[in-house]
Amino acid sequence: IYSSSNMIYSKYALYDFENEPNSIKKGTKCAMRVFKKFDKMRHILKNYRYLGIKIFISGSSYKSIMMYGSFDSIPLLLLDNAIKYSPVGKNVNINFTEEEGSINVTISSIGPYVDSDDISRVFERGFRAKSAQYIDGSGIGLYFVRKICELHNIQISVQSDKKRRETINGIL
């Protein structure tokens, strides 16, 4: 129940952000373990197993980073996005590596191919890739992710491989 309430709170926080963009800076920064945030969201989202979609984590990180509470929305939005576009029975993978004082988080999943013109726009508010038009959505999830990443000086990118139909979201 506690985990689910955190997920609901994160979703409500996004609505606050939409109406009041400065709300992502609410509170003070505190030390957060990025790995722990993604692992917690993986457990919360395990209900997608009814679709045959499982979330796996490889690697680890014990590093803490100073973050605003709005960072909690990033694992929810990225994993929810990966699951939403994954076909039934395909898994979502999260990989953690640490290098030169930074954490690299890669989320990969099988999904629709996103061409290079669309990739350059996936972080725009309200944008939906041509290959995603048949799936419900409003085009604001990755927009929120980018805004929160900018606030925390986190780099984020998206890649799509036509041959493997794999989409990768990387955060440092």
Side-chain angles (χ1 to χ4, degrees):
I1 292 173
Y2 177 75
S3 295
S4 295
S5 68
N6 280 341
M7 184 174 74
I8 292 168
Y9 174 78
S10 292
K11 289 240 179 192
Y12 276 123
L14 294 174
Y15 289 111
D16 288 343
F17 171 59
E18 188 172 16
N19 294 320
E20 180 58 47
N22 289 328
S23 68
I24 63 172
K25 296 180 189 179
K26 275 187 182 172
T28 57
K29 285 186 175 183
C30 61
M32 293 186 192
R33 287 190 36 217
V34 177
F35 179 87
K36 192 172 182 179
K37 295 292 181 181
F38 275 91
D39 191 42
K40 185 178 190 179
M41 192 53 61
R42 176 178 68 98
H43 287 289
I44 291 170
L45 295 174
K46 69 183 177 186
N47 294 332
Y48 282 104
R49 289 186 180 161
Y50 75 92
L51 294 174
I53 297 172
K54 295 179 185 170
I55 303 170
F56 295 100
I57 293 182
S58 60
S60 64
S61 173
Y62 297 98
K63 184 175 178 153
S64 292
I65 298 175
M66 297 301 288
M67 305 277 182
Y68 288 106
S70 60
F71 181 82
D72 285 344
S73 297
I74 289 178
L76 168 64
L77 290 169
L78 290 178
L79 293 175
D80 188 54
N81 197 62
I83 291 166
K84 182 185 342 182
Y85 294 104
S86 292
V88 172
K90 299 297 181 183
N91 297 323
V92 173
N93 298 295
I94 308 166
N95 183 49
F96 280 83
T97 57
E98 286 188 23
E99 48 189 66
E100 298 180 26
S102 66
I103 302 169
N104 187 8
V105 182
T106 304
I107 300 169
S108 58
S109 62
I110 303 299
Y113 171 70
V114 182
D115 67 37
S116 59
D117 291 336
D118 284 353
I119 279 189
S120 66
R121 300 188 59 208
V122 294
F123 295 111
E124 291 178 15
R125 182 185 190 106
F127 179 76
R128 306 261 305 151
K130 291 182 279 291
S131 58
Q133 297 299 318
Y134 65 95
I135 297 171
D136 285 340
S138 57
I140 59 170
L142 291 179
Y143 166 76
F144 287 142
V145 168
R146 185 189 68 184
K147 288 297 186 187
I148 295 167
C149 284
E150 286 172 354
L151 174 68
H152 292 94
N153 294 315
I154 296 171
Q155 297 174 353
I156 183 160
S157 63
V158 175
Q159 300 170 0
S160 187
D161 182 333
K162 190 172 191 174
K163 192 175 193 179
R164 295 179 59 206
R165 292 182 54 212
E166 181 173 64
T167 300
I168 299 170
N169 296 293
I171 355 179
L172 284 175

